[in-house]
Amino acid sequence: MPPTKTSPFLQLPAEIRNHIYSYVLPTTLSHPLRGPVWLRGTTTILATTRQIYDEAIPLLYASNTFLIDVEWDRISFRYQWLLLPTGLVPSRRMTFPDAFAARNVGLMKRFGVRVHHVDSYTGMVKYNYGGQGLRDGLRGRVEELCAVLGEVEEVVRLRVELMVEKRDVEVGKGVLEPLLLLGNVRQVVCVGVEG
């Protein structure tokens, strides 16, 4: 059996390979109006060898910010990408955490969470729920998200935006209260956005 050759790429020091991965893999940046948006890259490098996969996959998930929308009827990952040079930001929503392998969700470290609370009238029109049932349902979704985030070893940054029709501190307290139980979050930023 002939001896196997090691790729010249794998003979580079790990620091240089990590630097190359950061140029090749998709990455996020903060858009002033849209929040985290993805700059297109390629993930095909992950399919080349097991060693490259093992080195690069943590960089992909740990260094990027994942935008999560929490609504009364669902939790979704909002994949938004920046089209250069036009500046357009199309987006696509996928069920969270189902759109990702469980082991990859565990590698995520940065999250932007938008909790969408609507008034009773909109809730009745959109979900056939209003009042306390609407708040309780949304709180249940926040609890589901907290269960997922609780499985992550460490959340480095969590930015939470409460999107409300009218500013209502009591609604915010009730809906976001489950987030207080997360013990694995290093930095939290909470803001209210009036819609």
Side-chain angles (χ1 to χ4, degrees):
M1 181 175 193
T4 58
K5 291 186 178 180
T6 303
S7 163
F9 177 74
L10 294 176
Q11 292 174 357
L12 294 171
E15 299 82 22
I16 294 175
R17 289 195 307 272
N18 287 343
H19 198 66
I20 292 169
Y21 298 144
S22 72
Y23 281 108
V24 173
L25 293 170
T27 186
T28 56
L29 59 84
S30 182
H31 188 277
L33 300 174
R34 300 289 190 108
V37 295
W38 289 83
L39 292 177
R40 289 282 176 111
T42 183
T43 57
T44 55
I45 193 170
L46 299 173
T48 54
T49 70
R50 185 63 172 174
Q51 181 180 345
I52 289 175
Y53 178 88
D54 290 340
E55 291 175 352
I57 203 76
L59 294 172
L60 175 64
Y61 286 99
S63 61
N64 290 303
T65 301
F66 293 83
L67 180 58
I68 309 299
D69 284 324
V70 180
E71 297 173 276
W72 184 85
D73 63 339
R74 71 178 139 211
I75 302 171
S76 55
F77 163 63
R78 184 177 295 271
Y79 174 59
Q80 311 180 116
W81 61 96
L82 182 61
L83 294 176
L84 297 174
T86 64
L88 295 174
V89 183
S91 69
R92 181 176 155 204
R93 291 170 34 156
M94 297 173 260
T95 304
F96 184 82
D98 303 339
F100 300 94
R103 68 180 179 275
N104 294 338
V105 172
L107 296 172
M108 295 176 182
K109 304 239 179 263
R110 301 175 194 318
F111 296 90
V113 176
R114 292 182 180 161
V115 180
H116 300 267
H117 188 280
V118 296
D119 61 41
S120 284
Y121 176 77
T122 306
M124 288 302 288
V125 170
K126 196 170 181 180
Y127 308 119
N128 202 24
Y129 269 88
Q132 188 65 36
L134 191 60
R135 283 189 296 275
D136 290 346
L138 189 57
R139 180 188 168 112
R141 293 293 181 193
V142 171
E143 288 171 350
E144 287 178 37
L145 178 63
C146 287
V148 173
L149 296 181
E151 296 297 316
V152 174
E153 185 178 324
E154 179 186 33
V155 176
V156 173
R157 184 164 175 22
L158 176 64
R159 178 182 169 85
V160 180
E161 295 179 28
L162 178 63
M163 317 286 278
V164 293
E165 298 295 323
K166 298 176 183 173
R167 292 209 182 259
D168 186 345
V169 175
E170 292 308 311
V171 168
K173 279 184 187 176
V175 169
L176 299 180
E177 201 170 48
L179 293 168
L180 296 172
L181 302 176
L182 286 174
N184 60 340
V185 180
R186 190 185 313 167
Q187 180 188 23
V188 177
V189 176
C190 284
V191 295
V193 179
E194 198 168 335

